[in-house]
Amino acid sequence: MTEAYIIDAVRTPIGKKKGGLSDVHPADLGAHVIKAVVGRTAIDPADVDDVIFGCVDAIGGQAGNIARTAWLAAGYPQHVPGVTVDRQCGSSQQAIHFGAQAILSGTADLIVAGGVQNMSQIPISAAMIVGQQYGFDSPFGGSKGWTERYGSDEVSQFKGAEMIAEKWDVSREELEKWALQSHERAKAAIAAGRFDNEIVPLGDATVDEGPRDTSLEKMATLQPLVEGGRITAAVASQISDGASAVLLASGEAVKKHGLKPRARIHHLSARGDDPIFMLTAPIPATQYALEKAGLTIDDIDLVEINEAFAPVVLAWIKEIGADPAKVNVNGGAIALGHPLGATGTKLMATLLNELERTGGRYGLLTICEGGGTANVTIIERIEA
């Protein structure tokens, strides 16, 4: 039976807005992690079948197929192609899926999958802002089919987060407690060196820059995004810069190149949900994935669910019945940041290392995505 294996996974430190990675060209950010994963696994880059990278707002330095540009900026062979994926916040997780699917189909043996995002240089929604000069006020306005189905109300992650908090009756205090825990867990993980094996420093950027000293008292002073609402900046993910990459291989490639797999892809899938709520799809996506994989949530040893906003995680925990002690154990995007196109493979690197550290078997990764979709990847650790 054909298998898709994870050989290694790396990431840059996550830089905060205008922080240590803000001046690095996106192609060089991507090239840095590509060179790291190639170097650490000692593969011949000429043997790579494809480079699949996630990126959102592909304009400026992120335009022109950043997967291909980053590979070439790394100095590697021109015959290796590249393709850029945009599934919003889950773009590099989808890159893993596409790479694994190519391997499982027998059409590829070695894939570099990853993602890159420099949000300091190219702000979130920059592509839409540029689109305004062409007469578009939003991606949806002007579409007869969309308007007939969903109306003309605001479509945004902020509105979606607020709607989720209200529907699942998650209080502002609960949201802020989760956010504080995210910072505390992240700082503890950094102090303990839990990210050391996945981070490849770049210049002066050697450690994640996002975690900060905060408290429930400080969070309580912030104004909500909408009057009377529950969402504040304290319970949202941070604007970040970074890149990440994994090397995927077939069983044949493992033997041929003498590689040592760290995990196998046990399951991969994606599902959709209400695009106005936008951020709820990890719930049905996880339910679907567990059923297809023949597992229950109790079989999962560790979970990485992207902390786009705290209510996303807390609503998911309520619906799935997950043990919060297994979820984002080293902190999440509220503390560590969310470099959109790079987050999927960044979280995969963290999940893989934590499974190895704790001796767990199964890890589950899911990310809410613009448009109301979510990917789920379940990996099984391979014992050394």
Side-chain angles (χ1 to χ4, degrees):
M1 178 181 174
T2 302
E3 298 280 10
Y5 295 102
I6 298 176
I7 307 303
D8 206 355
V10 300
R11 66 178 181 90
T12 64
I14 303 305
K16 63 183 180 181
K17 184 178 180 181
K18 303 302 181 184
L21 298 178
S22 60
D23 293 332
V24 182
H25 192 285
D28 295 325
L29 272 178
H32 183 68
V33 291
I34 289 173
K35 287 190 286 188
V37 80
V38 168
R40 283 179 26 157
T41 56
I43 60 166
D44 184 343
D47 292 328
V48 172
D49 292 305
D50 208 351
V51 179
I52 309 172
F53 254 46
C55 188
V56 185
D57 291 312
I59 62 172
Q62 294 174 173
N65 190 1
I66 190 66
R68 171 72 169 161
T69 310
W71 178 262
L72 296 177
Y76 290 147
Q78 295 182 114
H79 73 264
V80 177
V83 63
T84 302
V85 178
D86 180 356
R87 203 197 278 269
Q88 299 292 280
C89 297
S91 295
S92 56
Q93 186 179 5
Q94 184 61 49
I96 294 174
H97 285 206
F98 282 153
Q101 287 164 344
I103 289 169
L104 293 169
S105 73
T107 58
D109 288 298
L110 279 178
I111 299 284
V112 173
V116 61
Q117 202 82 35
N118 191 316
M119 299 177 74
S120 294
Q121 294 180 12
I122 302 172
I124 187 171
S125 298
M128 185 58 246
I129 294 169
V130 171
Q132 291 175 352
Q133 66 182 291
Y134 299 107
F136 293 92
D137 293 327
S138 77
F140 318 103
S143 166
K144 180 180 177 182
W146 176 276
T147 303
E148 287 178 348
R149 185 168 187 181
Y150 295 110
S152 56
D153 289 343
E154 174 192 0
V155 181
S156 79
Q157 58 182 328
F158 307 108
K159 179 180 179 180
E162 195 70 60
M163 292 170 66
I164 292 168
E166 292 175 5
K167 179 176 179 178
W168 275 272
D169 193 24
V170 184
S171 69
R172 175 170 171 172
E173 290 72 23
E174 289 176 288
L175 299 175
E176 291 172 350
K177 285 181 180 178
W178 184 270
L180 180 61
Q181 175 182 264
S182 183
H183 284 282
E184 291 174 341
R185 286 179 170 181
K187 287 187 287 186
I190 292 170
R194 293 185 189 175
F195 300 136
D196 290 356
N197 188 49
E198 65 200 59
I199 287 180
V200 284
L202 178 54
D204 293 332
T206 60
V207 66
D208 294 314
E209 298 175 349
R212 52 183 177 258
D213 292 325
T214 187
S215 66
L216 294 177
E217 290 74 23
K218 289 180 181 178
M219 293 182 185
T221 65
L222 298 179
Q223 292 298 312
L225 299 181
V226 296
E227 187 175 351
R230 311 179 195 195
I231 304 300
T232 70
V235 302
S237 56
Q238 299 185 35
I239 293 171
S240 311
D241 309 321
S244 54
V246 304
L247 179 66
L248 303 171
S250 67
E252 183 177 337
V254 166
K255 294 177 182 177
K256 180 179 178 180
H257 302 288
L259 301 173
K260 185 178 180 181
R262 297 174 64 187
R264 60 179 283 272
I265 303 292
H266 184 78
H267 172 84
L268 49 83
S269 59
R271 307 304 283 177
D273 204 9
D274 187 333
I276 307 304
F277 271 86
M278 190 181 289
L279 311 173
T280 55
I283 295 169
T286 300
Q287 293 166 336
Y288 176 84
L290 291 172
E291 181 179 356
K292 291 286 285 186
L295 299 170
T296 70
I297 193 60
D298 292 333
D299 294 318
I300 303 299
D301 296 293
L302 291 169
V303 173
E304 288 290 335
I305 173 171
N306 190 42
E307 290 176 356
F309 295 86
V312 173
V313 181
L314 294 177
W316 179 89
I317 288 172
K318 284 187 176 184
E319 288 292 329
I320 301 301
D323 180 354
K326 296 181 178 181
V327 179
N328 298 356
V329 299
N330 291 320
I334 291 172
L336 293 163
H338 176 24
L340 306 177
T343 292
T345 34
K346 180 258 187 191
L347 293 181
M348 182 58 76
T350 298
L351 181 61
L352 179 62
N353 280 282
E354 189 63 15
L355 277 176
E356 291 175 341
R357 189 185 75 83
T358 59
R361 180 181 181 183
Y362 289 115
L364 184 149
L365 167 62
T366 187
I367 297 177
C368 58
E369 302 154 349
T373 64
N375 285 56
V376 173
T377 318
I378 299 174
I379 63 171
E380 182 180 14
R381 180 180 64 87
I382 295 176
E383 294 187 17

